[in-house]
Amino acid sequence: MTRLLEFHAAKWDEPIVMEMGRPGGRGQIFPEPEAEVSKAVGADLIPSNMARKDRPELPEITEFEAQRHYLHLSQMTLGMMGVSLFGTCTMKYNSKTSEYATLRPELAEVHPYQHPDTLQGVLSIFHDFDGILQSLSGMDQFIFQAGGGADAAYTMAIIARAYWADHGMLDQRTEMITSIQAHPCNPATAAAAGFKIVNLPLEENGYPSLDALKAAVSDKTALIMINNPDDMGIYNPEIKEWVRVAKEAGALCFYDHANFNGVMGRLSARELGFDACMFMLHKTFGAPKAGGGPAVGAFGCCDALAPYLPCPVVVKSGEKFILDNDRPKSAGKVREFWGNVPQVVKAYAWTRGMGAEGIKLASDISVVANNYMDKRLSEIPGLVISNPEISVNRMEMTRWSFAPLCEETGVGTVDVANRMADFGIDPFWMSHEPWIVAEPFTPEAGELWSKEDIDLWIDVIAQITHEARTDPEMVKSAPHNQPIAQVKGDVFEDPEKWAMTWRAYQRKTGAIDRTERRRQ
Amino acid sequence: MPTDTKSHPWMALSAPGAIDAMLAEIGASTVAELFEQIPQDHYRKTPLDMPPALTSEMELRRDLVTRLKRNGDCEVNLSFLGAGVWQHHVPAVVDEIVGRTEFATNVWGSYQSDHGRNQAWFEFSSQLGALLNLDVVQLPVYSWGCAIGHAMRMAARITGRSKVLVSQLSDPERLSVIRTYCQPRDMDGSIEVVTLAADPATGRLDLEDLKAKLGDDVAAVYFENPAYLGTIESEATQISKLARAAGAETIVGVDPASLGVITAPGDYGADIVTGPVQPLGVHMQCGGGAGGFIASRDEERYVRTYNGFLVSIAETQREGEFGFGLACPHQNSYGMREDGNDWTGNSTYLWAIAAAVYMSLLGPEGFAELGRLIVSRARYAARLLADIPGVSVVWPDGHFKEFVVNFDSTGKSVAEINTALRTHGIFGGKDISDEGLNLGQSALYCVTEVHTAADIRRLCDTLKEVLA
Ligand SMILES: Cc1ncc(COP(=O)(O)O)c(C=O)c1O
């Protein structure tokens, strides 16, 4: 085994910002209105009954103190500073070139309601990137309004609504069919859009059976929403047949292409028969995740669904790019404006930086790396792969389980995740609810990481399983060199104790501030 | 794909021989073998049709910058556009912090390994709570319109009722999102969106119409402060009293940049408060700076109906130490799929950090100064514009940073005027003539702290020239 690197996280014992500062402290100053302004309009311009009388209880600190405080907080965030093989999220390098490009005033200080003549640069990027995604999926039109993968699923649901309403069948086509293994956002958004949800269970092959689908589809089915491969790394080889069966029953078929990394350039959603799909730009296409957005679910569909797309749609008219708002059948908006524009620019940059060959190579690498991981993980006692009886090579990620280890030592997946951070390794993704696999963890190597990174990650897992047998308490009480010790979870479901703001915390605990605390 | 070409800077295993070495360890002889799960007839037949790769950073940068420079921006031009995205000053420290790679690229670790980020999130909620005078603030959802949509669905869950009342002078952009969230009439769980008349003299809600429409079927009344057309809803207390008497929730939308000078919504009876995050230190980014917060009092009936991430402070196993984690994590779609509250996912959480830094930089005095500066300059602009022959301001007093300018008597359309202004490097206010608001040829002008008196005079001088 390679020697594990020594690591210790930064710890700053940083106060809550609300406890910092001193009366009159300032981090920003705004000038007084010009004399001509004050002379013309006077003071007290807010109607007296609406004029704020109390002083908001905000910190009063200097510019430097704010900078230093938040730099300290950034240093107490592991982020991708170690090795992050966070499954279902396809961790990639987020290019600084594109980050800096989007910080330029030519994008940062641009307003979405500017006349399109003054937006030709960004519109050209939208248009050309749409073309790239069309090529990757076979769809006819993409939009970028959705603020994440879930929002793109929601976009599908409202387009299905508009489609069936337009066909006079919304009262009949009321059901959405998906797999119990699908990402929760598929059933959740369809339900929020008013559809009833039919969840198909997994069967011995690791995916729902074609028979189950056949039994579920009917003239009530509005749409099916499905991802493939799933988070176990299993590809449903009957997917073409699924789509055929669903369409025969009249349903729309949506491909949640969040797990695209292993099949980029190999599959085309349209050629498989799907009517629409979504890509996650903050995942597969190299835009950063930023701890949970701004994100983009790029939604693409075939011509038959295009009239129902949320507006605006970027199209080329002659030599110019325009924002098409004239879609009388549009399903309405899922979000204001046309999307998280900088993230779209970064995703465009990623595809240009990779090129068609690079994208295919990335897909190769991500599947090779995952199979390498599977090989090495299978050699560690206490771990078991999901669906162990399925012996085929998995796709770009695999769900694993610590169930045997847990049975033997009492150390489960949450304990291991906590302990990983002690080695400077980001805790892994476990699994979405419901946990079909016990004590789950789901690594995904993607194309970024080196063999050394992957080996280190696996060595850390091996080390922790060893520790679980020799010193389980140490693992269970981890982490030991992170900025804080384990958080006590008792308050999170307790209305008397949870506190989502400092003012709530002070009210509930009579908390004294830090200076006081230190004195005691 | 040959592995003996130049390796790619973003892929370690693209180095010559690297894949083959891995294959050897796996015991596979070709990459294709590893794709054994995919049936042959699933593979795409059409080749990829993509523009040539720009693998060198130099070429990539050149392409991006060349394209972006074809945009006209609001630094080179003088812009008076607002309506949901506004040009405000962004302190440099905010840019530095949100650009930190730890914050920009992290995903989801443990409460310990994400401690710094989680604290920044808690500080977002804490500081915004101080501005709103409310105890619960959720991490932001995708946008203000989405926040309103979720808030209305919360109200429907709380009251078991299915009608919401909104002003007839609502922003069509936000309203379109609201209608999406409230869904079509003939579907399960739909919420009917009914418009309330506005007083033509003030732009504020017509309370008589509100009284007439408030009944035991109304889940919520929604109003904004300041509203879409800039007006301040000075009868806010009255509105929330009327709503409460009818058993309805009061949902308010506020511009956080106004809260140094305008009463906190928690103090005039708001039950659920929404608003945009973008004014708090987020660049406009062509609309990519959008994000929407939801806040309420700390009562279980509200807390249990939120859809997203509520970050709570907590103790750790070490005496005297704070940590942070998610309160009520099981009620969202991660915990309960289709049975959770609406849905959640990746959102706009980086902007929570931007806003936290911004609020800590401004402090109470900064917000007061900012509010005074904005309202003074906006009022000044309204005065000067109204002095131009043919130009009038629809509600000249009682607005915050936005106001409606009417051009009916100039004989020119807003579109014509804005085209002419553009040739002078000025982006006129948003054309609202076609929004069904019955305000004739009107534009919504936005003036903030970035507009100096000289900028405002330049606008007026240019307008005079354009209208002459
Ligand atoms: C398969 C799948 N679909 C959808 C989503 C939802 O994406 P988001 O979190 O951007 O809403 C995810 C998230 O990881 C996913 O893995």
Side-chain angles (χ1 to χ4, degrees), chain A residues 36 40 52 55 86 97 109-110 114 135 192 199 271 333 336-337 348 352 393 501 503 507-508, chain B residues 36 44-46 54 57 72 108 131 135 143 145 173 180 183 283 286 298 337-338 365 380 383:
Chain A
E36 64 184 277
R52 185 163 190 144
R55 258 167 75 92
F86 199 87
T97 314
E109 298 302 335
V110 167
Q114 282 176 216
S135 171
N199 287 303
E271 289 181 34
K333 285 174 175 285
E336 297 94 303
F337 319 115
Y348 161 80
R352 294 304 310 271
N393 293 309
T501 54
R503 44 185 275 143
R507 177 169 56 75
K508 290 182 184 185
Chain B
E36 63 180 330
R44 58 183 298 149
K45 296 182 182 65
T46 35
L54 303 170
E57 177 170 7
W108 187 255
L131 280 172
D135 278 358
S143 69
E173 189 94 23
T180 300
Q183 69 201 46
H283 295 278
C286 201
D298 189 358
R337 286 170 64 97
E338 64 268 29
E365 286 309 315
Y380 179 64
R383 292 275 169 91

Side-chain angles (χ1 to χ4, degrees), chain B residues 157-178:
Chain B
R157 286 194 283 274
I158 292 168
T159 61
R161 301 175 178 184
S162 58
K163 189 191 274 186
V164 290
L165 309 180
V166 303
S167 168
Q168 78 179 101
L169 300 181
S170 293
D171 173 17
E173 189 94 23
R174 283 195 286 288
L175 195 56
S176 176
V177 179
I178 290 169

Side-chain angles (χ1 to χ4, degrees), chain A residues 88-89 148-150 183 185 227 256 258-259 278 280 282-283, chain B residues 334 345-346:
Chain A
T88 79
C89 283
H183 188 274
C185 74
N227 58 331
D256 170 351
N259 298 347
M278 75 93 166
M280 298 197 7
H282 47 299
K283 181 168 160 176
Chain B
Y334 287 130
N346 271 292

